[in-house]
Amino acid sequence: MQVFLIRKQQNRYICSVKKMIYLVVLLMLLKPIFPVVEYAVNYDYISKVLCVNKDKPKLKCNGKCHLMKELAKAAESEKPNPSDKRNTTQEVELLFFQEINTLFVTNPVFYKTQKTNSAYSNLYTYKLVHSVFHPPTFIV
């Protein structure tokens, strides 16, 4: 009974860890969408207060400039910082050159081949059997 309880606790622990991993992966995948959701939720506030082009109604910006800034910030935060690279590698191209010697082709020479004796070349024989071999059956 005690072993059963221990396994049940382990299964609960594993399920909770799986749920946490799924939640973290889901948040990582949805991270770029958060500025768009924030824009949709706070549309009135962004279009009236935070919009850079609110003095120019002909542009019909309605806070899209603020959305673009937030999306740029989100994209910039996802990029790895080049100053964080500690291992800088240099690429070196190696080129090998070998001069190809000219190829002289001479006229082909054909040698006469002797005819083989047909009696020696056809030594393979087979027996044509129409029936299939069946092993004996024993009745006990």
Side-chain angles (χ1 to χ4, degrees):
M1 186 69 174
Q2 189 175 10
V3 174
F4 177 73
L5 291 175
I6 292 173
R7 283 196 178 159
K8 193 171 183 180
Q9 289 174 349
Q10 287 175 346
N11 286 342
R12 285 184 190 165
Y13 176 73
I14 290 172
C15 288
S16 65
V17 170
K18 282 183 182 180
K19 289 178 184 177
M20 291 296 289
I21 291 173
Y22 289 145
L23 182 65
V24 168
V25 169
L26 183 67
L27 287 175
M28 288 175 63
L29 290 175
L30 295 178
K31 186 178 178 183
I33 299 174
F34 288 144
V36 178
V37 172
E38 180 187 5
Y39 173 75
V41 171
N42 300 323
Y43 175 76
D44 293 330
Y45 176 73
I46 292 172
S47 63
K48 292 177 183 172
V49 177
L50 298 177
C51 182
V52 177
N53 298 321
K54 62 185 171 191
D55 299 333
K56 304 170 189 173
K58 288 184 180 179
L59 294 176
K60 296 182 182 178
C61 179
N62 297 332
K64 292 177 188 169
C65 56
H66 179 73
L67 175 63
M68 292 302 150
K69 287 180 188 176
E70 292 296 318
L71 288 173
K73 283 181 190 176
E76 191 175 304
S77 68
E78 287 180 10
K79 290 181 184 176
N81 200 356
S83 63
D84 291 343
K85 278 189 173 179
R86 294 185 185 183
N87 297 334
T88 56
T89 58
Q90 283 186 334
E91 275 190 40
V92 177
E93 272 191 39
L94 220 60
L95 180 65
F96 292 103
F97 175 75
Q98 181 178 1
E99 189 176 338
I100 299 174
N101 296 331
T102 57
L103 181 65
F104 294 107
V105 179
T106 59
N107 291 334
V109 178
F110 297 104
Y111 296 104
K112 289 184 178 180
T113 57
Q114 292 181 350
K115 205 173 197 182
T116 57
N117 192 351
S118 62
Y120 290 112
S121 63
N122 191 7
L123 297 176
Y124 177 74
T125 60
Y126 64 95
K127 192 174 189 180
L128 183 62
V129 179
H130 293 288
S131 65
V132 178
F133 173 73
H134 295 286
T137 57
F138 294 105
I139 300 175
V140 180

